[in-house]
Each structure stands twice: as structure tokens, then as C-alpha cells.
Amino acid sequence: MNSKQILLPLFLITVASCQTQRISTSDADVSVMPTQHQTPTLVVSTTNPHPFVIARQVSPLYAGPSNISFIEVAEINAGESLTPLGLYGDFVHVVGSGEKDGYIWKEHLEYIPLDLPIMGSNEVPAEVINLFDFIFEPGATFKAGRLSIQTVDDEWFPLDIGPLQIATPFTLNTQFSAKGVGAIVLSGSAPSFGEWWSAPRLLVFSDHLELRDGRNEHDYVQIDLPGLENKLINIVFADPKGYSFTVYDQTGNSLITVDVSEFISINLDEGLFPSGNLFFGVLVGPLSRLTVSDLNLAKPPSGERVDERESSPRLRELADEREFLIGSSGAAYRLEDLQYQEILAGEYNCLKVPFFEMGDLRPSQDVYDFRHIDALVSFAERHNMSIIGSPVVHGGSEFLPDWLKNGNFSRDELINILHDHISTVVGRYKGRIHMWELVNEYGWMSYYQHWDLDFWKNHIGPEYVEMAFAWAKQADPGAFLLLDEPELEDRSHPMRSAMITSTYNLTTRLLEKGVPIDGIAIQGHLLLNSSAPTAVGFAETLELFEELGLDVYITEFDVNLANIPGSQEERKEYQAELYRIMLQTCLQSEVCKGFVTFEFSDRFTWLGDCDGCLGIPDPQPLPFDSDYQPKPAYFAMYEVLANHSSETVPEDEISR
């Protein structure tokens, strides 16, 4: 599998400093660096151009010298005559009839003149990356193509996204305005938790620049540079490690050139980006507003043609071919990590968006906070992912806010509160979120008679489930509504079989009453409280719900390895086999339509040691490890999707 490089931004918290070195532009050694300050314009001499070259086959013509970074602007016909202007990497700049002007792969030409000029990077269009495309931060809003961040209290607004690997000189183009304290930030690494200053960085304010080396929060260099407010500026780095840079204004005039190693009070001898990684972002101070109308990065194109046929398809492409959902849950704050973004959007065609229950969404009865959810929904829509919203209704105490639990509301008042919640949530995302895990774990609490855990059953009665589905259907008649339950993976297991039968009977009664349940969500937390399921047992579960005419989705799959003996390699192979068994059985059924893991990296598992997590040691339950490297479980999923057929999965149970 070929992994794609990805782009990451960074926003930092800063505070007042005690020690500073300050210079003005009149004191600085100002010189113009021999680099372009804008997206380069093609300048090629047409003196004695070569008469023509011939296209050997139908070929796309690109806006620049890359079939990945530039759009196709025209199609060249086989045998068409073209005038060549220059060679850049694997591409020839040509012009043809009908105002055709662009870049064609050299192998699609009959021949290339030996004396065709070699073009420099300043003679071809730059590869431009819109950094707005990577910002999905709660609290950051986009309107009319502008990014706006406003703080309403005494807190700083930090946003850390990165890293972007840089191997060539590059230019940052930006335009912004600030009311209060606001800056654009470039950094060489993400700051350590709680130590905003702990990385080399450049902060661009509306009237000055600030340089820091990351050793402590007190030492920095301030360079006065007034007049940047709401002006387009270009910051040109002559090398990828940021040893020096030049700032240009919107007219192309050089404002200042800075050698970052020349200052005594800070040490940036290895440059701003010593590891070759670039983080970018913003800083917004208390009671301030920052508006950014332009934020992009331009760099020379590689000129290499990428043979897309050599790139293996990813999970989502294999699943798309089968009209099957392959997905993961996600969290908005993790989108600051562009490697997380790349895997989530690159591998999965479905995103499970969590935190619709009242405890996360409603800090008070009349206030809904959709910022985190909106960020994830925007991310999914940007990347053409299906969305599962989860869960809307959960009766567990830990999922409910204190104002509700301690409010002494009457039954009628609670019915109105629940009705308002479902109508508001489902209605807000009508036409955007098409599938909801509407009611979570009601059947599980019913089977085990954990009624003390179900707030809604205790205060409204079991009919709240019927009400919830009816209200959701009213809010969005086109929504696909799921009843979400754990412990439904194996009908051949004695304890699981009883739970499955109970859920089947419950669902049957609800359907007979006309409750609009469209499907069952099976959570799929394996090896958490019982032994591994069998292919036969899982297939029987699917067949049971097929009798009711319901589709089934696995929506929280993971495989806990905490108590599995053997070497790491053996444990991971065992886990991979469970992934294979469950996914292949799902695909072979007529009713199982999706397979979603509960996050995709072991770094973020709910089973591990994190706030609100189970604290299980060494669970390693997901298809990517903590460093985002694919595990055998990932390759098992890949092979099943790539080789799916009607061949039956072996029936023997996996056990330890």
C-alpha cells in the first residue's frame, strides 16, 4: 500500500514574555532573496520554437507538470500536432489548436526534440495547497471563503495541525485581520502538552513578527513590521528548513529578509523547521477575533508522473465497488493531526460521528453545542463519506447532564425535553446525516434488567423507545434508524444467544406496533467479556434479523488482546483472523451492510488508559497501531474486501 503524504496546520497559545530582543526594519539587514514571492507565472521564450510534436495516443493535458497536483484542462487526440515550449521533469509544455495550453506526459509524444529547453521551477505553475482544506476545528467558522475565529472569554484559542513534510523551498501566502490579538503561526513541531512555547516558531502579527526557539517561554525576538493588517503578504523560504525567509507585500516589494541564526537571545541555528516538518496555524488571544481570507502554500512541482495503476486501492475503494460501508468513528480534536485526517478520509467511506447524547451536546436545557459535531460532519462531507450519527438517546447516567438528572422534572416535562432533543438533533442534519444509531443499549438493559441504569425508562417508561423512533422519523422521514445493541455477535454462545433472542423478541414487538426501526447496529466489542464468536454463530445472528426484514451494521468493532497469550506476532495474527471471520461473514450475508470500527488506531482506543476509558492494559484492539502503522488486522480486512466471493468462511471456532 502506498501511503500519501499529508498536510498539517498548527495554532499555538502565547502569553506575555519577560525577555525579548526587538528590532525594527530600519535596523535589520534587509536584502531581496532570489526567489519568487507569488505563484510563478510561466515565462518561456518562443524564439525559434520547435515546429511541432505529435501525440501518439489520446492523452490528458494538465494545467501544470503533474497528473496528481493539477487539473486536466483539455484532451489531446491521437495524431494531434502540438508546439513544444519546454521540458519539466516527465512533462512537456505544449500549445495546440483551440487555445490548448498545458502539460502532457512526454511518453505520450512520438518524439521529443533533443534541444528542447529544460524549464526551471520559476517557469512553471507552482503547486498550490489551500490550507483551509485541513481546518475542521470546533470554534472556527467559514463564511464567504473566510476563516473566522472569535474568543468570548479570557481563554486563548490554540489550534495545532501538522506536520507537513517539506523538501523544497516554499511560499506561504496569507491575508488576515485581527481585532485584539491574532497571528498566523508557522512552527517546526507541535508544542508539548501545556508548554505552548516548546517548539521553534514564527508568529506573524499585523504589526510585527515574533521568533521563538522553543527553549523557554520568556526569550523571543520581536521584529517591528507595521502595515500587514488585511494585506496579502508572501513569506518566501529559500530552503525547506527555514534558515532564512523574506516577506513581500502584495505589490511584490521586499519588506524584510531575516536570517534566523543571527540573533543572540534565541538559538535557531538549525532553522525554524529542523526536521523538515512544517506546522501551520493561528493564535487568537482572549476577547479577540481573527479573520483569515487567504492561507495557502505554494511550492515547486516535482514534475514526476505518478502511475495511478501502481497504487493499490484503499479499503474505501474496495468497499465502494461492493456498495458496502467500511468505516471508523472519529473525534473532532484529533483532526488537528493531518496523519489522522489522511487515514480516516483515505481508508474509510463512512464516518461514525459520536456525542449526540444530551451529556455531550447540551450544557444546559436551552443550549446546544454543535461545534464538535459540525466539524466532523464537515470533514465527512468534504471527503464524500457516509455518516452515522450516534447515539441520540442513551439512558445511562454517564451520558446525561446534571441539569437533567437533578432537575426534578415531571414525566410530561421529560417527554418534552426528549422530544425537543431528538427533533432538534435529527432535524438539524436532515439530508446530511442519513443514518442514526437512535436508541442505544435499551435491549441490553432490558435483558439484564439494569433498569436502574436507564434514566428514560425509569422516568417515562419503556414506551420512550417508541416515542423516540416516531419523533426521529417526523424530523427526517428519509433517515435510516438503527437500534444499537452490544453482545449480539454469536448466537451459538449460550449467554450471547439469550441476549440475541431477547433483542429479537423486543424488536419484533416494536415492529408489530409500527415503530419505524430500519435496522440493527451490532456493536462488536470482541473478547471484552466473553470468548471469541464463531462464523456460524454470527451468521445465525444475521439470519435471525433478516427474518424481520432489517439490515444489520457492525458499528463499534474492536478485538481486545489484553488477555490473549503468545508473542506479539501471534496475538496480532489471532486478532487478524477474527477481523477476517467477522467481515467475511458480514459480506456473505444478505443483510449486513457495513463494518465500522470504534476508532482505527490503538492510540485512541476506549479500552486503554485515558480519561473516561476502561483502563485495560495493552488491549491493542484496532487495525492500525499507535504509530498509525497498519497491523495484520488491516491486511485481513483488505484481503477480504479484495477477494470477496460466495465461498463460505470455515466454521471452526477461534479460541484460546
Side-chain angles (χ1 to χ4, degrees):
M1 296 295 295
N2 292 337
S3 60
K4 299 177 181 177
Q5 287 187 345
I6 47 182
L7 198 40
L8 320 156
L10 168 81
F11 299 82
L12 311 174
I13 305 175
T14 57
V15 298
S17 300
C18 300
Q19 301 177 19
T20 173
Q21 180 177 351
R22 182 170 181 167
I23 63 175
S24 67
T25 54
S26 59
D27 300 325
D29 178 17
V30 180
S31 60
V32 178
M33 296 171 62
T35 49
Q36 290 294 110
H37 61 278
Q38 297 173 321
T39 301
T41 301
L42 181 62
V43 180
V44 177
S45 171
T46 57
T47 303
N48 299 321
H50 296 275
F52 61 85
V53 291
I54 304 295
R56 70 167 72 217
Q57 65 186 78
V58 175
S59 179
L61 190 70
Y62 298 99
S66 169
N67 60 322
I68 299 297
S69 304
F70 295 95
I71 62 171
E72 182 178 336
V73 295
E75 185 176 84
I76 303 299
N77 296 317
E80 186 171 344
S81 297
L82 305 163
T83 300
L85 301 178
L87 178 68
Y88 187 87
D90 295 333
F91 291 84
V92 177
H93 182 207
V94 297
V95 294
S97 61
E99 299 183 351
K100 292 180 179 177
D101 187 342
Y103 293 79
I104 186 172
W105 185 33
K106 63 184 181 182
E107 298 298 328
H108 283 180
L109 299 175
E110 291 286 356
Y111 62 90
I112 300 174
L114 293 177
D115 56 348
L116 188 66
I118 304 299
M119 304 172 70
S121 61
N122 65 329
E123 297 178 297
V124 299
E127 180 183 339
V128 179
I129 303 169
N130 183 2
L131 302 183
F132 285 164
D133 289 345
F134 302 95
I135 299 176
F136 301 94
E137 180 69 11
T141 59
F142 287 92
K143 188 175 182 180
R146 296 185 177 188
L147 169 68
S148 180
I149 300 170
Q150 183 168 0
T151 54
V152 294
D153 50 28
D154 60 355
E155 297 293 326
W156 292 82
F157 185 95
L159 178 58
D160 299 284
I161 307 176
L164 168 65
Q165 293 183 350
I166 298 295
T168 62
F170 66 96
T171 298
L172 182 83
N173 307 303
T174 186
Q175 184 174 355
F176 66 95
S177 61
K179 293 182 179 180
V181 177
I184 304 296
V185 180
L186 298 179
S187 178
S189 63
S192 301
F193 181 77
E195 297 180 334
W196 64 269
W197 44 266
S198 58
R201 64 199 56 218
L202 166 66
L203 296 92
V204 183
F205 293 88
S206 58
D207 60 355
H208 71 277
L209 309 178
E210 188 172 295
L211 287 167
R212 294 180 172 272
D213 62 9
R215 292 182 301 174
N216 62 68
E217 63 179 300
H218 306 297
D219 298 336
Y220 63 89
V221 171
Q222 179 173 316
I223 304 172
D224 292 335
L225 198 63
L228 303 184
E229 178 82 13
N230 209 23
K231 301 288 179 64
L232 180 64
I233 61 171
N234 313 110
I235 305 175
V236 179
F237 293 86
D239 60 87
K241 292 198 173 183
Y243 290 109
S244 62
F245 61 87
T246 299
V247 181
Y248 293 89
D249 66 16
Q250 58 189 350
T251 66
N253 294 321
S254 171
L255 302 178
I256 188 171
T257 295
V258 177
D259 179 347
V260 301
S261 65
E262 68 178 4
F263 303 106
I264 299 175
S265 59
I266 59 174
N267 181 4
L268 290 172
D269 290 345
E270 296 183 0
L272 281 165
F273 321 115
S275 64
N277 290 328
L278 169 68
F279 292 70
F280 64 88
V282 300
L283 160 71
V284 185
L287 301 174
S288 299
R289 182 187 184 102
L290 180 70
T291 302
V292 186
S293 54
D294 199 355
L295 188 65
N296 67 73
L297 184 144
K299 61 179 183 177
S302 68
E304 295 180 0
R305 181 182 181 276
V306 177
D307 188 346
E308 297 178 82
R309 294 173 301 176
E310 295 179 356
S311 300
S312 300
R314 309 186 77 171
L315 292 179
R316 67 176 297 164
E317 297 169 88
L318 298 172
D320 284 343
E321 293 176 3
R322 291 152 182 79
E323 298 183 347
F324 184 80
L325 294 184
I326 193 77
S328 170
S329 60
Y333 71 92
R334 293 170 189 155
L335 297 176
E336 297 174 5
D337 181 341
L338 288 188
Q339 197 170 358
Y340 181 90
Q341 281 195 36
E342 196 276 337
I343 295 174
L344 187 59
E347 295 289 352
Y348 300 103
N349 63 10
C350 177
L351 176 62
K352 176 171 172 170
V353 177
F355 309 129
F356 286 94
E357 64 267 38
M358 287 191 193
D360 289 297
L361 197 58
R362 299 176 68 173
S364 65
Q365 183 175 350
D366 299 322
V367 175
Y368 288 80
D369 185 355
F370 288 106
R371 291 175 299 171
H372 289 263
I373 291 171
D374 284 346
L376 281 170
V377 171
S378 295
F379 177 85
E381 291 177 330
R382 174 92 49 97
H383 296 286
N384 195 29
M385 304 172 77
S386 298
I387 305 172
I388 300 175
S390 171
V392 182
V393 181
H394 198 303
S397 176
E398 67 271 30
F399 300 101
L400 300 172
D402 289 339
W403 64 261
L404 178 70
K405 292 182 289 186
N406 303 326
N408 295 317
F409 295 104
S410 69
R411 180 178 184 273
D412 287 343
E413 288 173 325
L414 288 172
I415 289 174
N416 289 333
I417 289 171
L418 184 59
H419 188 183
D420 177 76
H421 182 79
I422 294 170
S423 299
T424 299
V425 168
V426 177
R428 176 184 176 89
Y429 298 100
K430 180 180 180 180
R432 301 176 70 192
I433 297 180
H434 300 286
M435 185 178 297
W436 294 94
E437 290 181 0
L438 190 72
V439 177
N440 191 285
E441 298 183 353
Y442 172 80
W444 177 81
M445 288 184 283
S446 174
Y447 172 70
Y448 288 105
Q449 298 184 353
H450 290 325
W451 295 124
D452 57 316
L453 301 179
D454 193 332
F455 176 89
W456 298 114
K457 192 270 178 185
N458 288 337
H459 292 83
I460 295 177
E463 60 269 27
Y464 86 84
V465 176
E466 303 169 32
M467 296 175 181
F469 277 93
W471 292 332
K473 218 53 164 177
Q474 291 170 5
D476 185 359
F480 194 92
L481 306 180
L482 300 171
L483 178 66
D484 177 83
E485 297 293 344
E487 302 184 5
L488 302 181
E489 300 87 16
D490 188 359
R491 200 179 179 198
S492 66
H493 187 284
M495 289 183 60
R496 293 289 188 266
S497 178
M499 172 65 190
I500 291 166
T501 300
S502 175
T503 303
Y504 172 84
N505 293 336
L506 167 67
T507 308
T508 300
R509 291 194 300 271
L510 292 172
L511 290 172
E512 288 173 347
K513 291 182 178 181
V515 177
I517 298 175
D518 298 305
I520 299 294
I522 296 177
Q523 292 182 5
H525 298 296
L526 303 193
L527 303 181
L528 185 58
N529 296 312
S530 67
S531 59
T534 66
V536 170
F538 182 45
E540 290 177 353
T541 300
L542 297 176
E543 291 168 1
L544 193 65
F545 289 110
E546 184 179 8
E547 294 177 8
L548 299 178
L550 298 177
D551 287 340
V552 176
Y553 293 81
I554 301 174
T555 58
E556 297 184 11
F557 193 80
D558 52 22
V559 179
N560 174 29
L561 293 183
N563 297 315
I564 302 302
S567 67
Q568 279 286 69
E569 182 179 357
E570 291 171 335
R571 297 167 75 224
K572 289 179 181 179
E573 289 297 335
Y574 172 64
Q575 180 184 64
E577 187 67 2
L578 281 173
Y579 269 81
R580 185 186 69 82
I581 288 281
M582 296 297 285
L583 178 55
Q584 188 156 319
T585 304
C586 176
L587 283 166
Q588 288 173 348
S589 77
E590 296 295 326
V591 296
C592 190
K593 306 297 186 181
F595 188 92
V596 179
T597 58
F598 211 37
E599 272 291 356
F600 62 84
S601 168
D602 291 340
R603 183 184 299 189
F604 304 118
T605 175
W606 73 294
L607 300 177
D609 185 16
C610 57
D611 185 27
C613 298
L614 295 188
I616 296 174
D618 196 31
Q620 303 183 62
L622 294 164
F624 289 82
D625 67 19
S626 295
D627 295 322
Y628 295 139
Q629 296 304 305
K631 294 161 55 180
Y634 168 85
F635 294 106
M637 295 168 64
Y638 189 95
E639 290 167 5
V640 168
L641 288 169
N643 303 318
H644 172 58
S645 68
S646 59
E647 181 181 347
T648 304
V649 178
E651 297 182 359
D652 53 314
E653 182 172 358
I654 304 172
S655 61
R656 284 273 177 172

